[in-house]
Amino acid sequence: MTSEAEQFEKIPCISYENSSEACRVLAVEVASLIRQRQASSKHAVLGLATGSTPVPFYRELIHLHKKEGLSFQNVITFNLDEYFGLEPQHRESYYRFMREQLFDHVDLPDSQINIPPGTVSREQVFRACRDYEAKIEEAGGIDLQILGIGRTGHIGFNEPGSAQDSPTRMITLDKVTREDAARDFLGIDHVPRFALTMGVGTIMRARRIALMAWGENKADIVAKAVEGEVTDAISASFLQLHDNAQFLLDAGAASSLTRNQHPWLVGSVDWTDELIRRAVTWLSRKLNKPVLKLLDEDYNEHGMSDLLTDCGPAYQLNIRIFNELQHTISGWPGGKPDEDDRYRPERALPFHKRSLILAPEPSDELRAMGGTIDRLIEQGHTVDVVFLTSGNLGVGDDAAERFAEVLKELANAQSAENWEAPVRYAGQLLGDLAAKGPFGQDNTTLRSIKSLVRRSEARHALRNCNLGEEHIHFLELPFYESGRYRRFKPGDNDVSALCDILTKLEPHQVYMTGSASDPSSVAGVCYRLFQTAMAQTAKEAWQDECWTWLYRSGEKPFASYEIDMAVPMSPGQLKSKLTAVSQYTQEEKSTGAREKAVAKYYDQLGLADYEAIEAFRRWAG
Ligand code: GLP
């Protein structure tokens, strides 16, 4: 880190290319701590975290155990937290998480595992928490505390308002935290309201602290914790007061740090085209002035005088960026035939194009680019939508139940012989649903019914865009069918399925998402599979003519400077997009806020004032 960056970053941050690399480094550090202690017959005391963030780190530890003989016999662990009221065997308990993700795969003695007891009675909570603290003391304190960070900036479950010296205790979970856990618990109503957590004080007593964060969705909270004031509104910011805390970040999670976001404020920079666009749009927003009204003194007063020397004066630089932004706007996402395409985001030729839209889960495609799909079809391109996963994990039991009941009713009403099988099937489904209860794991039959629910919604939704059924493909990648949220294990079968469809469809354009997602999410996993599949098919002729456009669905939207193609929408087009999206009944209704926000941004920069815009970034490969 440069000393200039240190002015902003009050916690040392190391950013790695990706989470795997960061986890390898951390696992090596842990292994050396364990071995050092083994050499002097001492224990190593680790503070452990749950959530999707540490999963790849635990996989590294397991790898070191299996391949390099790293033993955990001398390790004592203390977990940060546990949901209050969840039985250890509950599929979402942190106890079970730790068993599945680490403990069952290494030689750590059970007696050396400590997790706050989520099942004590309310009367016993205080005492249990006090005992937990005492046990940590007795073990000699925590040598290394592993942390993730929640969207509220919490560490452990220390929600906003937690004091710097707070001890292990029971806490009420924040609404945002419960919303984030809703998918895992199959609905927010099932998410516990309380948890037991080590306090900020408990964490701060650890001799060393390593906080990990992956993906752009964590970028803003990471930047606040590292660069902002120390405040109990963001409990991770207390780590600024620790003398041996460190953040390990991937590129996405580090992207909002000043050194990456506004490097010209940190020191001298190499002004690339993208950086110039970023600086000018940032200045325009900061001063609340359209780009064309920025003055020389505005640049000079905001650390950009060298930019003026290279590309100024202001009016010249302003016009350059204004034009660049203007050229990103196009109502012809497949290229405009018979027109000069020098300043258009897409090539005019070939025309018509084969456009392939990859959706990690059903609804990603319409939420992010329903208007663009509409235009591509209207403008005569061949559009194929490929759903990479079935999305059945997002379907509630009630939808499967309704399906089974309709089937049963219908079959009973017919009473013909050939309806016997459906009646039996419906009965079995209802039985399976009752047997597993709200938290049980879906068996294959239930998952396949839920896939069908999702399929029919997808077909309905895409019918709104006049997309023929022969252009809708359901890939049902195996990693998803055999996995569950945030704990997927993709493999070669997934890659080859993706290679096959790419080779079969030979697209001129691919639309894909996931580059900014948490790597453990469905979109994150799919994006990495896509990268591998593109690399494996790199020599095929169709790739010479293929451009990939990235879109954002659930992730943090693109910043204005990241947008290479902005497809504008009229109020009518937005309305019909929202109607199409609403066919996906399993998810929250879309209000079009994201599309409107991008349009507003363009307007504020001094460009045309559209109702809504769908944004894309060209993939560099
Ligand atoms: C929960 C856990 C935290 C974790 C956070 C983030 O709130 N109690 O310890 O850091 O989730 O979860 P994830 O890593 O899945 O983003």
Side-chain angles (χ1 to χ4, degrees), residues 169-395:
R169 68 204 185 287
M170 178 145 114
I171 188 138
T172 306
L173 295 176
D174 191 274
K175 187 168 165 276
V176 176
T177 305
R178 292 185 68 236
E179 276 166 10
D180 283 350
R183 240 184 165 187
D184 302 326
F185 280 88
L186 306 171
I188 193 148
D189 296 343
H190 300 139
V191 183
R193 292 182 182 276
F194 306 100
L196 302 189
T197 181
M198 274 188 201
V200 177
T202 328
I203 294 169
M204 293 291 279
R205 277 193 292 281
R207 285 182 277 281
R208 166 153 164 70
I209 297 176
L211 183 147
M212 296 180 273
W214 324 130
E216 274 189 31
N217 281 350
K218 294 278 171 79
D220 291 349
I221 196 70
V222 162
K224 281 187 191 148
V226 171
E227 299 188 352
E229 296 293 299
V230 175
T231 162
D232 66 6
I234 298 174
S235 63
S237 69
F238 286 122
L239 300 176
Q240 293 182 17
L241 308 173
H242 194 281
D243 59 10
N244 193 10
Q246 192 177 47
F247 277 28
L248 290 89
L249 310 171
D250 67 358
S255 62
S256 293
L257 295 175
T258 303
R259 65 167 131 150
N260 296 321
Q261 192 68 24
H262 311 122
W264 55 89
L265 298 177
V266 174
S268 67
V269 293
D270 196 3
W271 286 105
T272 60
D273 287 350
E274 179 174 318
L275 209 52
I276 296 174
R277 212 204 281 186
R278 188 194 300 191
V280 176
T281 53
W282 170 80
L283 191 60
S284 156
R285 290 309 310 122
K286 184 168 173 63
L287 302 178
N288 207 6
K289 278 184 181 180
V291 169
L292 291 175
K293 289 193 178 168
L294 293 171
L295 304 172
D296 285 299
E297 48 266 43
D298 295 332
Y299 285 97
N300 287 331
E301 283 161 17
H302 291 87
M304 290 182 233
S305 42
D306 58 333
L307 178 60
L308 277 193
T309 319
D310 293 350
C311 314
Y315 76 86
Q316 208 159 315
L317 181 55
N318 296 347
I319 287 183
R320 169 177 159 187
I321 298 306
F322 178 86
N323 284 338
E324 272 183 29
L325 292 166
Q326 181 68 39
H327 296 152
T328 62
I329 304 173
S330 173
W332 295 81
K336 192 167 187 182
D338 309 322
E339 289 274 342
D340 178 1
D341 63 3
R342 253 174 313 160
Y343 299 120
R344 293 184 174 279
E346 238 314 345
R347 307 146 290 169
L349 298 174
F351 192 83
H352 302 98
K353 289 191 173 59
R354 288 187 296 275
S355 304
L356 170 59
I357 291 140
L358 300 176
E361 288 180 277
S363 92
D364 282 333
E365 79 298 352
L366 277 188
R367 277 178 189 279
M369 53 177 295
T372 305
I373 294 180
D374 233 9
R375 292 213 183 212
L376 287 168
I377 294 174
E378 202 179 283
Q379 291 164 4
H381 304 286
T382 305
V383 173
D384 281 277
V385 174
V386 174
F387 294 104
L388 299 177
T389 69
S390 66
N392 59 26
L393 291 170
V395 180

Side-chain angles (χ1 to χ4, degrees), residues 49-54 80-81 83 94 147-151 154-157 177 218 486 518:
T50 51
S52 54
T53 307
L80 280 168
D81 44 16
Y83 289 109
Y94 285 166
L147 294 176
I149 182 167
R151 259 209 302 155
H154 68 225
I155 45 178
F157 267 134
T177 305
K218 294 278 171 79
R486 310 207 269 185
D518 167 357

Side-chain angles (χ1 to χ4, degrees), residues 19-20 23 49-59 81 83 92 94 97-98 101 146-151 154 157 180-181 184 212-215 217-218 250 484-488 517-522 524-525 528:
S19 55
S20 319
C23 289
T50 51
S52 54
T53 307
V55 169
F57 164 68
Y58 294 144
R59 285 191 191 146
D81 44 16
Y83 289 109
E92 290 306 326
Y94 285 166
F97 173 97
M98 288 310 299
Q101 299 303 320
I146 303 296
L147 294 176
I149 182 167
R151 259 209 302 155
H154 68 225
F157 267 134
D180 283 350
D184 302 326
M212 296 180 273
W214 324 130
N217 281 350
K218 294 278 171 79
D250 67 358
R484 46 182 295 209
Y485 281 133
R486 310 207 269 185
R487 318 213 185 135
F488 298 112
S517 298
D518 167 357
S520 68
S521 66
V522 178
V525 172
R528 283 200 310 284

